[in-house]
Amino acid sequence: MDNTTQHSLPGLIRKVLGSPHAEQVIKAQIIQLASQQLHVPEVTTALLEVLPQTKDKETRDKLLFFLSSLNTSRFSDLRVLFDTLLQVFQQEKDRDTRTALLYRLQESLHQDSRLASFFISLAADSQLSEREMLAVQDALSTLPAITQDIALAALSTHKNAPTILQLQALTLAEKCTAWGPEIVAALQPYLDVKNDREVRIRILKRLADAKLLDVAYVPLLIQVLHTDNDPYMRSQALLALQRIRPWTGDMVAQLYWSSTKDSDEGIRQQALLLQKEMPELSNEQLIQLAELLATDRSEGVRLTLLGLLKPVMRIPEIRNAVAGAFSSHPGVFDNAEFNQLVEMLTPYAGRDAVISTMLLESINGLPNTDQRRKVLSLLIGRLKTEQVIDQLVALFRKERDESLREVLFNQVKALSVARHPQLVDVFCTELTEPGSPFRITCAGILAGVASLYPQIVPALEDVLQYDTERELVRLCLDGYLRPGVEQRFDVLLSVVRNESTDLQSRQKALDAVIKLTLDTSQQDELTTALAGIKPNTLKTS
């Protein structure tokens, strides 16, 4: 064949093989001609281009058989070859042809990494024929070294598949030389209790037998220990957990949980034995344990954890972590846990402002009155009230239990309102509350500083106008009559008219009224009030 024919052959291939009108004999001749010119790179390129476009089955089969039989060294770009074969497979309807293509692609698994993912995905296709599925399984069984990407593809594809496909995916993953965090995450769905026991056992055995287990596996194993109903599975999870180094707070907490809360006695004993292998924990690990105290996952083993933490409470970081866990969720602890926690923290309350603040703030989150009383009883006497006055005031405002309100009130009542003006509003509120048991004390405190704070005067006036209790009225009147306080006629006249009040207070109120500059109506009102009082009871001069 001359050079002209050689250079025009790719064009003829595209024109003739791609035409639905060309005769079969001509097409066969073109294929035969192409087989003789394979040294021309454009020939194989043209054959690959025209293959997906060839519609008549006879030519398509001849062309496919011819290309599939060629050594891959004949193709300048193998990706183009495999792209074409994969495209033809997706288009092909004939089962025998599809099966033959699968075996052809299997031969090149080592030449294109994409083919592994293709066979993995195809394994999940329920529409495959029996022969096609055998070809796929045969391909998967002969895969070369499994990379992490291939393992991940298999695990992801078959996580919800039937058991046989899950086992196949697991087999591929086991051929991967190293299981990194991504594979651990991909395995998690396979450990769901709904999956076949054999699948879960193989995974746990693989984890337990691994020599390089690290903390990335911990969440996976903990999930098994908490959710799997099969004691054998939980035992395998504990064995795997035993291999992990270094130890973490999560692992320690889980061992305590399994040793006390697992329903199987054998698992509890196994967990107890593992506890003996625990190394001395670092400060960081102990802090991590402290932070777990308030979580639901560690419920039931808190007393054990607290026993572990108690000897190291002298370390500020651990102490603060315990206090933080307590103050963030104080209501989750039962009485025994609560008492242990508070007793561990209160010795430091007087010296550590962080601890005292956290303990006081935790009271807001305690729905149990006895627990609030417990905290207060341990704190009172240890705290410098001046340093925590804002917290005490906030607690007093919110507290409903009268006995606890009394404890809080007694803690702040001796403080100087001149130095702590935030107490003024508290005392004024109690003074004007008819049901408060602290009114007399508040009246005595506020009376001495009535001229210093404007909100005190309205509180005193409220008592003078509406109350009859002698001592209370007397104290408020003393404050109301202090220099610098502007008195109102109607308030003083209320005291004068109040026959329940002692005469001395009524006389003081009258004397103060007389000193006021009264208009005509006020003079008439005073005259009327005095006319209704028994003669010689009060003096007007």
Side-chain angles (χ1 to χ4, degrees), residues 104-293:
R104 171 62 187 84
L105 290 168
Q106 176 189 341
E107 295 173 1
S108 298
L109 276 169
H110 64 289
Q111 293 178 302
D112 193 324
S113 59
R114 298 174 302 159
L115 296 180
S117 298
F118 163 72
F119 280 105
I120 289 170
S121 300
L122 203 58
D125 187 349
S126 60
Q127 303 301 316
L128 294 182
S129 68
E130 183 177 351
R131 291 185 62 207
E132 289 171 336
M133 181 57 75
L134 286 174
V136 170
Q137 300 297 333
D138 190 45
L140 292 176
S141 67
T142 59
L143 277 174
I146 302 300
T147 65
Q148 179 168 280
D149 288 341
I150 293 176
L152 288 172
L155 293 172
S156 175
T157 300
H158 299 305
K159 61 184 178 182
N160 297 316
T163 300
I164 186 172
L165 294 179
Q166 288 191 335
L167 289 170
Q168 178 181 284
L170 185 55
T171 299
L172 288 176
E174 286 172 339
K175 293 180 180 180
C176 186
T177 55
W179 281 10
E182 295 85 357
I183 290 184
V184 172
L187 285 171
Q188 189 160 331
Y190 287 77
L191 288 172
D192 192 292
V193 293
K194 73 176 186 296
N195 290 325
D196 186 81
R197 186 172 185 264
E198 182 183 353
V199 173
R200 294 181 288 141
I201 288 176
R202 279 182 60 175
I203 293 174
L204 289 177
K205 279 186 173 294
R206 170 65 171 79
L207 291 175
D209 292 340
K211 297 180 179 179
L212 298 174
L213 281 171
D214 58 31
V215 294
Y217 296 85
V218 172
L220 188 66
L221 296 173
I222 287 176
Q223 182 195 34
V224 175
L225 289 166
H226 274 272
T227 62
D228 203 304
N229 293 325
D230 190 333
Y232 181 79
M233 306 300 296
R234 301 198 299 277
S235 175
Q236 290 297 315
L238 278 178
L239 287 175
L241 201 67
Q242 182 181 5
R243 300 291 183 90
I244 294 178
R245 296 294 183 272
W247 288 73
T248 67
D250 281 337
M251 293 168 61
V252 173
Q254 180 57 50
L255 287 183
Y256 286 136
W257 190 96
S258 294
S259 65
T260 59
K261 303 296 287 184
D262 195 282
S263 59
D264 185 87
E265 182 180 356
I267 300 296
R268 295 197 298 272
Q269 291 177 352
Q270 183 182 358
L272 284 171
L273 289 174
L274 288 179
Q275 287 182 38
K276 296 179 181 180
E277 298 183 14
M278 289 194 311
E280 182 175 330
L281 300 180
S282 66
N283 286 356
E284 291 74 18
Q285 291 170 322
L286 290 168
I287 290 172
Q288 187 180 10
L289 278 182
E291 292 170 347
L292 292 173
L293 282 171

Side-chain angles (χ1 to χ4, degrees), residues 224-518:
V224 175
L225 289 166
H226 274 272
T227 62
D228 203 304
N229 293 325
D230 190 333
Y232 181 79
M233 306 300 296
R234 301 198 299 277
S235 175
Q236 290 297 315
L238 278 178
L239 287 175
L241 201 67
Q242 182 181 5
R243 300 291 183 90
I244 294 178
R245 296 294 183 272
W247 288 73
T248 67
D250 281 337
M251 293 168 61
V252 173
Q254 180 57 50
L255 287 183
Y256 286 136
W257 190 96
S258 294
S259 65
T260 59
K261 303 296 287 184
D262 195 282
S263 59
D264 185 87
E265 182 180 356
I267 300 296
R268 295 197 298 272
Q269 291 177 352
Q270 183 182 358
L272 284 171
L273 289 174
L274 288 179
Q275 287 182 38
K276 296 179 181 180
E277 298 183 14
M278 289 194 311
E280 182 175 330
L281 300 180
S282 66
N283 286 356
E284 291 74 18
Q285 291 170 322
L286 290 168
I287 290 172
Q288 187 180 10
L289 278 182
E291 292 170 347
L292 292 173
L293 282 171
T295 66
D296 292 337
R297 199 196 63 74
S298 62
E299 185 178 1
V301 294
R302 293 190 184 106
L303 282 175
T304 308
L305 294 179
L306 288 171
L308 187 67
L309 293 166
K310 186 175 182 179
V312 292
M313 288 293 284
R314 66 177 66 89
I315 301 173
E317 294 81 5
I318 296 174
R319 187 166 66 239
N320 290 340
V322 172
F326 174 63
S327 64
S328 61
H329 299 287
V332 304
F333 300 94
D334 64 29
N335 285 335
E337 297 162 352
F338 175 85
N339 291 337
Q340 177 72 27
L341 256 171
V342 174
E343 288 170 5
M344 287 168 58
L345 291 170
T346 46
Y348 302 95
R351 290 178 168 82
D352 192 324
V354 173
I355 299 296
S356 59
T357 299
M358 285 185 175
L359 284 174
L360 286 173
E361 290 177 349
S362 71
I363 295 176
N364 288 317
L366 291 173
N368 186 304
T369 303
D370 289 336
Q371 290 184 344
R372 297 199 300 277
R373 183 178 290 107
K374 172 78 172 181
V375 175
L376 281 177
S377 65
L378 289 172
L379 286 177
I380 298 304
R382 296 177 183 270
L383 300 176
K384 294 181 179 179
T385 307
E386 296 87 346
Q387 295 177 352
V388 293
I389 186 170
D390 290 333
Q391 291 94 324
L392 292 175
V393 168
L395 289 174
F396 179 77
R397 290 182 185 277
K398 185 177 179 180
E399 185 58 57
R400 296 180 180 180
D401 183 85
E402 286 299 330
S403 63
L404 294 183
R405 295 185 88 243
E406 183 177 3
V407 172
L408 292 164
F409 182 80
N410 289 339
Q411 194 68 16
V412 299
K413 69 179 183 181
L415 298 178
S416 166
V417 292
R419 293 179 55 195
H420 306 287
Q422 62 267 52
L423 292 174
V424 174
D425 287 335
V426 176
F427 293 153
C428 285
T429 299
E430 292 302 308
L431 177 60
T432 56
E433 169 53 51
S436 173
F438 314 122
R439 302 182 79 197
I440 294 292
T441 303
C442 290
I445 295 171
L446 296 175
V449 291
S451 61
L452 299 181
Y453 302 100
Q455 62 267 47
I456 294 178
V457 174
L460 297 176
E461 292 176 339
D462 181 87
V463 173
L464 295 176
Q465 285 182 296
Y466 301 109
D467 280 275
T468 59
E469 203 279 316
R470 288 192 173 192
E471 180 64 13
L472 181 63
V473 172
R474 183 187 66 77
L475 289 171
C476 290
L477 183 63
D478 286 345
Y480 196 58
L481 296 178
R482 288 181 68 84
V485 176
E486 184 178 349
Q487 292 98 30
R488 284 168 40 196
F489 169 77
D490 59 326
V491 173
L492 293 172
L493 189 60
S494 293
V495 178
V496 173
R497 287 173 168 169
N498 190 347
E499 294 182 356
S500 299
T501 305
D502 63 275
L503 288 176
Q504 184 178 6
S505 296
R506 295 173 71 191
Q507 185 62 58
K508 286 183 179 179
L510 179 57
D511 293 342
V513 168
I514 294 173
K515 293 178 181 179
L516 296 176
T517 302
L518 306 179

